[in-house]
Every structure is written in structure tokens, then in C-alpha cells.
Amino acid sequence: MKIYKFDSIIVGGGLAGVRAAVEIASKGYKICLLTLLDKLIRSHSNAAQGGIQASLANTTESIGDDWRVHAYDTIKGSDWLADQDIVEEVVKLAPFLIREMDYWGAVFSRTDKGLINQRQFGGATYPRCVFASDGTGHVLMNLIESRATCLNIPVFSRRQALSLILDGVKVVGVTTLNLVNGEIEAFLGNAVILATGGAGLLYKETTNARTCFGDGMTIALETGLAQIGNPEFVQFHPTPMPPRYILATEGCRGDGGVLLNSEEKEFMWDYSSMKGNLASRDVVSRSMMREIVAGRGIEGFSTTHLWLDIKRLGYEHVATKLRDVYFLCRNFIGVDPTKEYIPVRPAQHYTMFGVKTNKRCEAYGIQGLYAIGECACWDLHGANRLGGNSLLETVASGYIAGQKILENLAKDKIQICKDGLVEDEIKRQETRIKNILGKKDGENVYRLFSEMRGIMSQNAGIFRNGQDIEIGLAALNKIFEKTANVKIDCKEIALNLELQLALRFSGMAKIALCVMKSALLRTESRGSHWRDDFPKRDDKNWLKRTLASFPIGVQEPEINYEPVKITLLPPGDRGYGEKK
Ligand SMILES: Cc1cc2nc3c(=O)[nH]c(=O)nc-3n(C[C@H](O)[C@H](O)[C@H](O)COP(=O)(O)OP(=O)(O)OC[C@H]3O[C@@H](n4cnc5c(N)ncnc54)[C@H](O)[C@@H]3O)c2cc1C
């Protein structure tokens, strides 16, 4: 039985997790990072393309930008569901965090004057997005990984966190499955930070990597104590490229690319008279689907799609400022974007929901537990995230959680938990695995997983209505019942993807139920949550955040609400001129 002890444990080695680790380790505390992958750099943050928002006002076009404008854009983007005190803190911190990374050696793209360059993104008043061509995530992951290496932060790779070890309502560690040798291990610490990224794999069509299962959310939810904030809010990005839904960054439109229908008409101005192609993602995705439903889509690439035209930007621009898109188009869909239009169709991209925390990233309901990055909801994005604000959130929440943990570590005593507690939790996980491996008859986990993803795309997608959601909820309930009876064909413990899925699947089904039930209850349209049967935003009844929990032993989520903090900008029009 392997038991490791540190001051704090970070589950997740993406940008959020590593940024927090750097903050804590730089003050000499013992911290470790756990990741599913073989290397930190392979975390999904690496795939981020377009950039990171900060009101530096470095370009001629962005003169006049400051934290207030960034805050107003974020609040309007969120359709007034973000907590405005958090928005204020994060956007004020943004310029510092960018300059810090610049100082550490991030190779950001530059203006002619040598300043950090900034590009336009959807929903932003000024070009504010700091970028490194369209490989911003790759550059930042390289940077932060090298900081972690300099600080000698131990990385335990190929570990799947399975459960939180609780002493009453206090977390004392996590159990993990060592994916290579099949051992169950425990990592103990005074604080546990969940930084496991989003849950895009709940949906059939997604831009997310094959690691975005939402594990942090599920292990928190499965304690019966934690809460998921705003589960009904899921972002669908306008320009993934079918058939695989690899993303073409919003930077394509930020730099001047446009969306076209089958008549080669630039249709977005018909739907958003003030922002056109650069309205927020929820508005653009809905408008695109309306064009498709109206019969102005194009058949091909295994679906009905629209076009993204960036050839108008010219070879030089595409090959330098959008070089990842240039590469991805040619190598994955066989299109040369300097000569041809790119096929695009909206698909799941980001989870605004996550483990609900307060302003200091401390999870509701469990002492010592923190959540940061896409896995958390604290709540910066409300009903819709603006592009570039997620990378910002990873480094901001990593920094803020790190500061809070340092404060606590300075006064906390070494954690002592009840005798046998850790060993019992390890045994519980071993028994779980034994039971799954020992089952001869039962449900095929891949089939259930695929069914669940189909239901989510079909019944909790871009356009929703009460009847479809009810159908989705009933179907998910059936799947959830079957999760207790999952059997797998491959009987190895080590290197067994089927077992890994079986271990996380009942938690995923619980999250899916939270999404579906919250979507049913929210009888209004706000941000990414569109109800055909309730097409208006309803501030009188719904200016509140959903909190979903799953108490132990119950069969469906419990839904509660809390008020949203309005400290800067009272609810009003989003300013996109959206035609509904
Ligand atoms: C294609 C694409 C492009 C994007 N471009 C942008 C952009 O330009 N700007 C922007 O602001 N945002 C962008 N985003 C969003 C942004 O990249 C992500 O929200 C952000 O990087 C998430 O970072 P994270 O650290 O929270 O999680 P991740 O980077 O996803 O890291 C999660 C980590 O958790 C680990 N993990 C997961 N489960 C477990 C487990 N059970 N046990 C142990 N470890 C586990 C993983 O191995 C990984 O190390 C983009 C997203 C996509 C999909």
C-alpha cells in the first residue's frame, strides 16, 4: 500500500494546476502534481489556440481599454450571471499575470514596436487578446512546465484520481489508480486542489481532448457534500471543423475571417446587427444553427456545415498568425485555408459549470478542498464565457488558490487523520475494482458512454425545450440505473482503458443528470442556455445561480440556487443587437 505525504496535493497538470503548484512551491512547501497523462505538456491547455485576455491597451486599436471595459464585456458575455466581484478581481489581475509570464520568458507575438500584441475576440470592445500566433496554450504550457521543473515539483504521471479521502467534512487526500502498474495509492495533504479541466466528453461532438471526462467534478460530487455550480451552462463553439470537430480558433474571425452560408452570403449581420461575426459564442452558434435549419447549410464532411473564410486574410497572415489552423486544416481535413473555405459547425467546447467555490477557490461543503481552472465554477463566466477568458482564469485561479493555501499552510498544523481512514479508503477502491473485474454479465460501459453522449447532444444542446429535456432526463435515468451493473471485457488492472472508463462512468452520469435537470428547471433563455419554449431572459425569477448536489444514496440530483453578486453593472442589454 503506497501512501505519499505532501503539504498539498494538486490533481491535474494543466495550466491551472501547474500555476498553483508554482505559487506554492516557490515558498518552499512540498507539493505534488498528479496527471492522467505521461507529461504535463500533454494536458488539454496545450491545445488552446487564440489567446488570453488582458487589458494592456498595447495596440493602436486597443487604446482606451482598461479593466473596467474588460469587466463590462465579461459581464455582458455572461448574460449577467457571473459574480461581478470575481470578474473585477480577475480582470484587474490580468495585466500583472501576463507581464509575469512575459518576464518568465513566454514568447508572445509582438507589435512592430516590440510590445505584446493583442487581437480582437468575440464579445470584446477592444482587441485585448494576448497571443502567441495561434498556439498560445502550447507556449504557456511549455513556460509553466519549465517553471515547475526549475522548482523540482514532483509529478506523478499516469495516475487517475478515484476519490477524495474525507475525515468528516475535511479532505485529507486522494486515492489514485496507477495506470501503469494497477496499484491503488493514496496522496495525503492539508489541502487538495482539483484542476482536472472540463467535461466535454459528456457530449458526442466536442472540441475537447479524450481526457476531458470531468473527473474532478465527479469525484467531488460523489462525496455527496460538494456542489456543481450552473450545470445547465455549456458552451458550443461556432467554428469546430467537422468531421472530427477540431477547433478553428475564434482568432480567425478576430483577425477578419467571416462566416458564409451556402449562398456565400456573410449572414451574421442579419442576426447580430452590432457585432456580426464577433458576437459572443452563444449568439454566433445559435445563428449558425438557424442558417442550417433554414436550409442554407452545405452537405459534406459527414454533416451539414457552413463555411469559414480566412483566405481573404492572405497567405502571409494565415501562415504566420494562424499557423496552427493552417496546419490542422491541411493535415486533418484536407483543406488549404489560404485557397479554400473551411467547413465549420458548432460543437461542445467548454463547461461553464464546475465544482462550486468561493472567491478564494475553496469548494463549498468540503474543508481543505479547492477547485480551479475549467473544473471549477467560482463564477467568472456565468451563462457564457468570452473567448480568451478561460486561459486567464487558469492562471488567475491558480495564483489566487496558491496564495490562499500559502496563508493556511503558514498556520496549519500537520494533518493528522483518524487511524485506518486512509487504508479503509484504499481498500474500498480495491473492492470496487475487484467487483467490476469479477462481473461476468452486465452492461457494456462503452455502449452506455456512447448512449449518454448522444442523449446530451440531442436533448441538452444548443436549442432546448421542456419536452425534449424531459425525454433526455428519462433516458439518462435509465443509463444511471445501469451504471451499477457495468461489466468489462478486459480483465487487467494496469493499462486498461475500459476499466478506467468504468471507474469514472457513474460519476459522469451523475453530472449529466445535473445538467439535464437544471436545464429543465431553468425556464428562461440566458447565455448558452436557450429554451425554445421560454425564449426571453427573465431577471425577475432567474437572476440566480444553480447549485446541484447528489447526496449519497439518492437517485437524482438536488437543485438549489444562490443569488448572483451584482457590484459593477446592473442587468441590461448585451449590446450585440441579437435578433431572437
Ligand atoms: C481546442 C481548444 C482551444 C482553446 N483555446 C482557448 C484560447 O485560445 N483561449 C482561452 O482562454 N481558452 C481556450 N480554450 C479553453 C482552455 O484551453 C481550457 O479551458 C483550459 O486550458 C483548461 O485548463 P485546466 O488547467 O483547467 O485543465 P486542462 O488543461 O484540461 O488540464 C487538466 C489536467 O487534469 C488531469 N486530469 C484529469 N482527470 C484526472 C484524474 N482523474 N486524475 C489525475 N489527473 C487528471 C489531466 O491529465 C490534465 O493534466 C480552448 C479549449 C479548447 C478545447
Side-chain angles (χ1 to χ4, degrees), residues 12-13 15-16 35-36 43-45 48-51 159 161 215 374 388 390-391:
L15 208 48
T35 171
L36 284 176
S43 297
H44 193 50
S45 294
Q49 299 177 344
R159 301 301 204 283
D215 283 357
E374 192 172 338
S390 172
L391 286 184

Side-chain angles (χ1 to χ4, degrees), residues 41-42 103 134 170 172 174 182 195 205-206 220 224 280 368-369 374 423 435 456 465 472 508 560:
I41 188 75
R42 294 193 61 223
Y103 173 72
D134 57 348
K170 168 100 181 81
V172 296
V174 287
E205 293 92 15
T206 176
S280 62
L369 183 68
E374 192 172 338
E423 292 76 7
N435 289 344
M456 293 299 286
N465 67 69
M508 284 191 88
N560 290 294

Side-chain angles (χ1 to χ4, degrees), residues 4 8 41 57 62 74 117 127 174 184 192 234 253 320 324 326 354 384 391 421 432 459 468 480 534-535 564 577 579:
Y4 300 90
S8 301
I41 188 75
S62 57
T74 302
N117 206 350
V174 287
I184 303 289
V192 172
V234 177
R253 281 171 291 132
T320 55
D324 268 22
Y326 185 43
N384 172 67
L391 286 184
L421 194 82
R432 245 181 104 199
N459 302 68
D468 284 351
F480 182 55
F534 296 95
V564 175
K579 192 180 118 200

Side-chain angles (χ1 to χ4, degrees), residues 182 433 437 488-497 499-500:
I433 292 179
L437 293 176
I488 59 175
D489 292 328
C490 176
K491 302 294 182 187
E492 301 296 325
I493 303 186
L495 299 170
N496 183 349
L497 288 172
L499 174 65
Q500 292 161 28

Side-chain angles (χ1 to χ4, degrees), residues 2 27 53 60 64 68 77 81 93 135 201 264 266 268 282 386 412 442 526 537:
K2 280 209 183 99
K27 297 290 179 298
Q53 300 275 3
T60 319
R68 286 170 203 82
L81 213 63
L93 201 53
L201 293 176
E264 298 190 39
E266 205 186 305
M268 266 314 300
D282 55 326
L386 285 194
D412 272 4
R526 183 185 297 272
R537 193 176 85 194

Side-chain angles (χ1 to χ4, degrees), residues 11-16 34-37 43-45 47-51 159-161 195-197 207-208 215 247 349-350 373-374 385 388-391 394:
V11 188
L15 208 48
L34 309 177
T35 171
L36 284 176
L37 298 154
S43 297
H44 193 50
S45 294
Q49 299 177 344
R159 301 301 204 283
Q160 178 175 343
T196 50
T207 59
N208 284 198
D215 283 357
L247 188 71
H349 178 63
Y350 185 83
E374 192 172 338
R385 166 178 79 91
N389 267 352
S390 172
L391 286 184
T394 61

